[in-house]
């Protein structure tokens, strides 16, 4: 589907669908809204998207998954899905992301560190973030998840870093992560498994039920400065304050 451009600077297009499979959209003008019952496969190339949402349909047994690759010139306002969010999302910044699960997704954000414009203001996964990446040049606001598995969240880390970054050599720009919370899910013994979170500064991190044994491979948090870190496991809770690299390193087995 091809949408042209317009000489009217305020012109934008809104698109509504039921079920979408392998649809490619190229738009010369901003997209105000995209709504669908579900979207499985395809791509979107546009200057910006104010909102994109899949709502599902319980009566028809449609979960409302959203799986699409995007190249957006500037920003995405909101991404909302009733089901699982997947795909590659490339843009300058995203205001908000909300999903039941986030699986095999990549968010690549090139917004430079800016106190007034966050690369990602907020992300919420009600249940799992699995096999996914958040790679940002700029500051990240709030990340909330029930569980986080085999995933990473990097702000201002050099490209190509594999594993747990070393803050002495792998920080590219002075970006921050404000709040990251992994709550834990009923019936699941571990909620933070083989994940890496890194930035120059992490203001607040709450990681419940980390799986400390990772086969000898280190994982966890890496930063020049962590203001507050709360860890809860079956044995109780630990709170660490004002941790600076490299003097204040803490290890809990592989975590």
């Amino acid at each position: 589907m091809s949408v042209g451009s317009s000489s009217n600077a305020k012109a934008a297009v809104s698109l509504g669908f039921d079920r979408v499979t392998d649809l490619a959209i190229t738009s010369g003008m901003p997209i105000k809204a995209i709504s669908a019952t579900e979207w499985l496969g395809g791509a979107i190339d546009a200057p910006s998207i104010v909102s994109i949402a899949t709502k599902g349909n319980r009566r028809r047994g449609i979960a409302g998954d959203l799986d699409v690759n995007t190249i957006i010139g500037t920003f995405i306002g909101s991404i909302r899905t009733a089901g699982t969010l997947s795909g590659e999302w490339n843009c300058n910044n995203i205001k908000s992301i909300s999903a039941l699960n986030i699986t095999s997704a990549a968010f690549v954000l090139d917004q430079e560190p800016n106190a007034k414009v966050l690369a990602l203001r907020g992300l919420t996964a009600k249940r799992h973030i699995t096999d996914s990446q958040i790679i940002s040049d700029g500051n990240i606001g709030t990340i909330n998840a029930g569980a986080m598995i085999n995933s990473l969240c990097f702000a201002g880390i050099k490209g190509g870093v594999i594993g747990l970054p070393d803050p002495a050599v792998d920080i590219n720009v002075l970006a921050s992560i404000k709040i990251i919370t992994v709550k834990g899910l009923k019936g699941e013994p571990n909620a933070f498994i083989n994940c890496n979170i890194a930035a120059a500064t992490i203001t607040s991190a709450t990681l419940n039920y980390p799986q400390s044994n990772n086969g000898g491979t280190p994982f966890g948090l890496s930063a020049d400065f962590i203001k507050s870190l709360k860890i809860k496991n079956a044995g109780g809770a630990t709170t660490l304050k004002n941790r600076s690299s490299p003097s204040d390193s803490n290890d809990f087995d592989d975590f």
Side-chain angles (χ1 to χ4, degrees):
M1 179 182 292
S2 180
V3 179
S5 58
S6 174
S7 58
N8 182 352
K10 295 183 179 180
V13 61
S14 294
L15 303 168
F17 305 97
D18 182 26
R19 306 181 77 177
V20 179
T21 303
D22 297 330
L23 172 65
I25 296 175
T26 301
S27 178
M29 70 175 72
I31 296 175
K32 183 178 181 180
I34 297 177
S35 63
T37 305
E38 72 173 3
W39 186 312
L40 304 177
I44 303 170
D45 188 340
S48 62
I49 299 176
V50 176
S51 71
I52 178 168
T54 51
K55 56 189 178 182
N57 188 306
R58 290 186 178 182
R59 180 177 58 83
R60 297 162 61 193
I62 300 172
D65 296 342
L66 174 58
D67 181 5
V68 63
N69 298 330
T70 68
I71 299 176
I72 307 302
T74 53
F75 72 92
I76 300 175
S78 68
I79 303 168
R80 293 178 290 112
T81 174
T84 297
L85 176 61
S86 305
E88 297 179 7
W89 300 80
N90 296 270
C91 65
N92 188 256
N93 61 79
I94 300 174
K95 184 176 180 180
S96 66
I97 300 169
S98 177
L100 179 65
N101 295 293
I102 297 175
T103 302
S104 300
F107 304 94
V108 181
L109 311 171
D110 59 12
Q111 171 70 51
E112 295 181 358
N114 185 321
K116 295 183 179 180
V117 182
L118 298 175
L120 175 59
R121 182 178 295 182
L123 179 152
T124 298
K126 293 179 181 178
R127 291 192 60 79
H128 300 89
I129 298 175
T130 308
D131 298 325
S132 296
Q133 300 181 348
I134 303 166
I135 301 175
S136 170
D137 290 341
N139 300 327
I140 293 174
T142 301
I143 306 290
N144 284 296
M148 192 170 178
I149 304 165
N150 298 328
S151 298
L152 62 83
C153 180
F154 288 172
I157 303 301
K158 291 180 180 179
V161 174
I162 298 173
L164 185 63
D166 180 347
V169 296
D170 292 332
I171 292 175
N172 187 43
V173 294
L174 298 180
S176 65
I177 298 172
K178 187 175 181 180
I179 301 172
I180 186 157
T181 303
V182 179
K183 298 178 181 179
L185 294 170
K186 186 177 180 179
E188 299 185 15
N190 298 111
F192 190 74
I193 303 171
N194 188 37
C195 294
N196 292 313
I197 300 166
T201 300
I202 299 173
T203 303
S204 174
T206 301
L207 305 178
N208 291 336
Y209 309 106
Q211 180 174 284
S212 58
N213 186 344
N214 197 40
T217 300
F219 74 102
L221 275 69
S222 177
D224 279 335
F225 179 72
I226 300 174
K227 186 174 182 179
S228 174
L229 170 60
K230 298 178 182 179
I231 304 163
K232 182 179 179 180
N233 54 34
T238 301
T239 299
L240 303 172
K241 297 284 189 178
N242 301 320
R243 315 305 287 177
S244 298
S245 174
S247 58
D248 297 327
S249 177
N250 296 89
D251 298 323
F252 303 87
D253 200 359
D254 294 329
F255 169 58

